[in-house]
Amino acid sequence: MNWNDLFFYKDGSLYRNKHISARYPFGEKVGHTNTEGYILVWVGKKRFRAHRIIYEMHFGDIPDGFEVDHIDRDRSHNRIENLRLVNRSFNNLNRSIRSDNTSGFSGVSFSKSRQKYVAQIRYKNMITTIGQYDSPEEASCAYNNYKEKLYDLFYRW
């Protein structure tokens, strides 16, 4: 679908590109936020996520096996600078901290037997232990550095 026929993009939002009726005038901002925090846009009787439309307007179709990720994790922040194409495994690395997390950092847990904070990462269904650290901040730093290395490797293809 050629999204540019229907919408134009400005500052992270989509606006109507055609005057359909008094109810749907040209230049009207489109979309509403759903319960998950994504902005949805209706085209006919189908709904689409605005971040996917915006990405496709700038870069073309999204290849099979890839997703559009919000870098800052804010699902309603759809500026093109905040969107990137990733696979499912990498998108999962950019999740918010789980509600049952006790360390306060992604990828960091406390090992009672070792009395150390352990940094681990799950990528492509494999768990890699990055290391053991005295503080959760050190473990988090190691986790984030490892995640950035994975991201750099991912974008070399």
Side-chain angles (χ1 to χ4, degrees):
M1 183 176 297
N2 187 355
W3 299 114
N4 292 306
D5 291 344
L6 301 173
F7 310 110
F8 65 90
Y9 167 84
K10 182 180 174 187
D11 298 329
S13 297
L14 293 172
Y15 297 86
R16 197 168 306 285
N17 209 15
K18 291 183 178 179
H19 182 86
I20 298 171
S21 67
R23 186 174 177 190
Y24 303 111
F26 170 83
E28 176 187 49
K29 189 174 180 179
V30 297
H32 70 279
T33 306
N34 72 0
T35 56
E36 296 175 316
Y38 290 106
I39 297 176
L40 301 180
V41 175
W42 288 89
V43 177
K45 293 185 178 185
K46 286 188 76 175
R47 66 179 177 186
F48 298 89
R49 291 184 175 182
H51 65 282
R52 294 180 60 86
I53 294 173
I54 291 168
Y55 188 89
E56 288 186 353
M57 287 174 77
H58 286 82
F59 301 110
D61 291 341
I62 299 167
D64 289 340
F66 288 88
E67 301 174 355
V68 178
D69 178 38
H70 292 88
I71 296 168
D72 69 357
R73 298 185 191 135
D74 180 351
R75 294 173 175 174
S76 65
H77 181 202
N78 290 328
R79 286 184 177 270
I80 193 64
E81 301 85 19
N82 188 47
L83 303 177
R84 63 182 169 192
L85 193 63
V86 296
N87 63 16
R88 169 65 53 97
S89 292
F90 198 84
N91 200 3
N92 286 338
L93 290 178
N94 199 27
R95 288 181 142 174
S96 299
I97 296 174
R98 291 174 41 134
S99 61
D100 62 350
N101 180 304
T102 57
S103 71
F105 298 96
S106 290
V108 177
S109 60
F110 184 72
S111 171
K112 290 180 183 178
S113 63
R114 294 182 178 96
Q115 292 296 300
K116 297 273 188 184
Y117 289 91
V118 179
Q120 290 182 323
I121 198 162
R122 178 187 293 268
Y123 183 70
K124 291 191 175 181
N125 292 326
M126 292 175 41
I127 297 174
T128 302
T129 299
I130 302 163
Q132 301 172 28
Y133 303 90
D134 292 326
S135 73
E137 292 82 9
E138 287 178 287
S140 177
C141 184
Y143 172 85
N144 289 328
N145 288 338
Y146 195 91
K147 185 169 81 167
E148 286 305 312
K149 286 178 186 173
L150 278 178
Y151 183 73
D152 290 343
L153 287 172
F154 177 77
Y155 274 99
R156 284 194 188 150
W157 53 261

